[in-house]
Amino acid sequence: MAFKITKMIDLDSIDFLVDVEAPEIAERFHPGQFVMLMTRKEGERIPMSVMKAEDGKLSMFIRKLGKTSKELRDGIEAFENVIGPLGHGVEEKVYGNILVLSDAVCGHAENYAICDALGKIEGNTITSVQTFPSKAEIYPDEYLAKNVADRHFITTEDGSFGDAGSYVTTLKRLLKNDVPIDFVFGGGKLPTMKAVSTILAINNIDNLFTTRQMMVDGSGMCGACRLYIDGEMKLACVDGPMFDSRKVNWTRAMKRYGMFKKEEKIANEYYEAHKGGCGQCQK
Ligand SMILES: Cc1cc2nc3c(=O)[nH]c(=O)nc-3n(C[C@H](O)[C@H](O)[C@H](O)COP(=O)(O)OP(=O)(O)OC[C@H]3O[C@@H](n4cnc5c(N)ncnc54)[C@H](O)[C@@H]3O)c2cc1C
Ligand code: FES
């Protein structure tokens, strides 16, 4: 069964939004969960966070990075398969003063979904911080979590808008100003999550961060997404993807995430050169 793509628009120079019809998944989705996408039958499965599940459709923010995401942006009309929802979503309850942090495409999707769901629960106050590379790369207003948060800050890595640096800069400013924070959710780049985990440990703040790993099947069978939480092996796809950042072995997680760089480069080069025509990148 094909899953029809109903919308595809650019968000900035590299990220784009995709809406896909997947009513059964949309109905069961909880913020923090993800799906596995297949652009064609022989293709790889790529894990993708979900920003919104509404009216039988899933909205996703996708980065044009390598072979599969480029193939998708170059004009696919339907997914061969969408599998999910996968992983554990966040518990939808009262946390109090919630801070939601993100600095990359996957993190921004979760940021929106978490703010939207938890903001509807009385007793929660939501502050969202989203980091973009520069002012020119900030998503259009309607796709920012500011629509679903009580307070929203933007930081830019080059300092062209808002606080300069990553969301860590804004978190430090909030802590310095004694802004109450009861719980932090976050996602995005692994090095920023590693940096923030130290601050959250020093300040003893409970948190859950999406700890991205390479996923092959997304169902706990291949072992590709293993990581170490408090010294114990876990699978990001079935045990996560969110974990207490203070317990994650970030050094091992970062090392594993880069392990297919060579193969990804070859597939990307074939795709760029032949756009699928020679068949090499289909292998
Ligand atoms: C739980 C989860 C949620 C994600 N959510 C998003 C999202 O919302 N938006 C988004 O753009 N990306 C998201 N990703 C990353 C996304 O899966 C990769 O960008 C995608 O697989 C790239 O495939 P490619 O063929 O275009 O590029 P490739 O050239 O194959 O890879 C480019 C880079 O993408 C990452 N990547 C590649 N394959 C995988 C894989 N099987 N599993 C995990 N990471 C991979 C690696 O960092 C790699 O260097 C998520 C990953 C995980 C694990
Ligand atoms: S992706 Fe295969 S075990 Fe998690």
Side-chain angles (χ1 to χ4, degrees):
M1 176 186 133
F3 292 77
K4 192 175 164 207
I5 292 171
T6 55
K7 196 181 198 180
M8 200 183 289
I9 55 159
D10 286 325
L11 297 167
D12 59 18
S13 67
I14 187 165
D15 296 346
F16 56 103
L17 170 110
V18 173
D19 279 2
V20 59
E21 277 177 5
E24 284 169 23
I25 301 175
E27 202 181 313
R28 289 180 288 124
F29 171 79
H30 290 283
Q33 289 186 295
F34 65 97
V35 292
M36 294 296 271
L37 303 176
M38 287 180 79
T39 50
R40 54 193 169 74
K41 221 177 241 160
E42 316 75 35
E44 62 177 349
R45 295 174 173 203
I46 61 168
M48 212 46 72
S49 304
V50 175
M51 167 250 179
K52 206 196 280 183
E54 218 173 66
D55 302 330
K57 290 187 197 125
L58 304 176
S59 301
M60 295 167 287
F61 295 151
I62 303 184
R63 178 155 296 187
K64 204 161 70 172
L65 259 187
K67 201 200 96 197
T68 306
S69 49
K70 284 183 183 167
E71 201 174 44
L72 171 61
R73 188 63 190 113
D74 284 349
I76 282 172
E77 285 172 7
F79 289 106
E80 174 65 31
N81 208 350
V82 181
I83 303 151
L86 300 170
H88 297 279
V90 303
E91 216 180 317
E92 292 174 42
K93 62 173 191 179
V94 179
Y95 293 86
N97 296 298
I98 302 171
L99 183 64
V100 192
L101 307 170
S102 60
D103 69 345
V105 56
C106 350
H108 295 325
E110 279 138 14
N111 191 325
Y112 191 103
I114 290 170
C115 291
D116 193 18
L118 298 187
K120 287 178 181 139
I121 298 172
E122 206 179 324
N124 286 332
T125 305
I126 316 251
T127 303
S128 160
V129 185
Q130 290 185 275
T131 304
F132 294 92
S134 69
K135 190 177 176 188
E137 299 296 309
I138 298 171
Y139 291 177
D141 260 17
E142 62 182 301
Y143 299 110
L144 292 174
K146 79 183 202 186
N147 294 314
V148 281
D150 297 295
R151 289 198 306 169
H152 182 256
F153 299 104
I154 286 179
T155 69
T156 51
E157 285 162 3
D158 70 356
S160 50
F161 190 89
D163 284 334
S166 71
Y167 58 66
V168 177
T169 317
T170 310
L171 170 63
K172 284 182 179 163
R173 181 165 60 77
L174 296 176
L175 288 170
K176 200 169 156 202
N177 293 338
D178 289 326
V179 172
I181 302 171
D182 298 314
F183 204 97
V184 179
F185 292 99
K189 298 177 185 173
L190 294 175
T192 330
M193 290 193 258
K194 183 184 180 191
V196 91
S197 68
T198 312
I199 299 171
L200 297 176
I202 293 166
N203 291 279
N204 198 22
I205 301 176
D206 287 334
N207 67 88
L208 280 174
F209 275 70
T210 299
T211 312
R212 243 159 277 285
Q213 282 298 281
M214 274 296 166
M215 291 188 185
V216 178
D217 62 6
S219 62
M221 304 294 281
C222 70
C225 68
R226 64 183 175 273
L227 37 77
Y228 295 85
I229 309 293
D230 245 354
E232 207 184 317
M233 198 196 84
K234 298 276 178 194
L235 297 172
C237 66
V238 290
D239 299 320
M242 304 189 98
F243 297 98
D244 184 332
S245 72
R246 298 167 294 184
K247 297 183 177 170
V248 178
N249 184 326
W250 290 106
T251 309
R252 288 183 85 160
M254 287 194 279
K255 204 169 159 201
R256 279 191 69 77
Y257 201 54
M259 74 185 167
F260 292 118
K261 285 266 181 280
K262 203 170 118 207
E263 289 79 0
E264 286 157 359
K265 189 166 171 278
I266 294 168
N268 191 25
E269 282 168 1
Y270 269 117
Y271 182 72
E272 283 296 329
H274 311 283
K275 300 274 181 221
C278 72
Q280 283 297 329
C281 63
Q282 318 277 326
K283 291 178 182 167

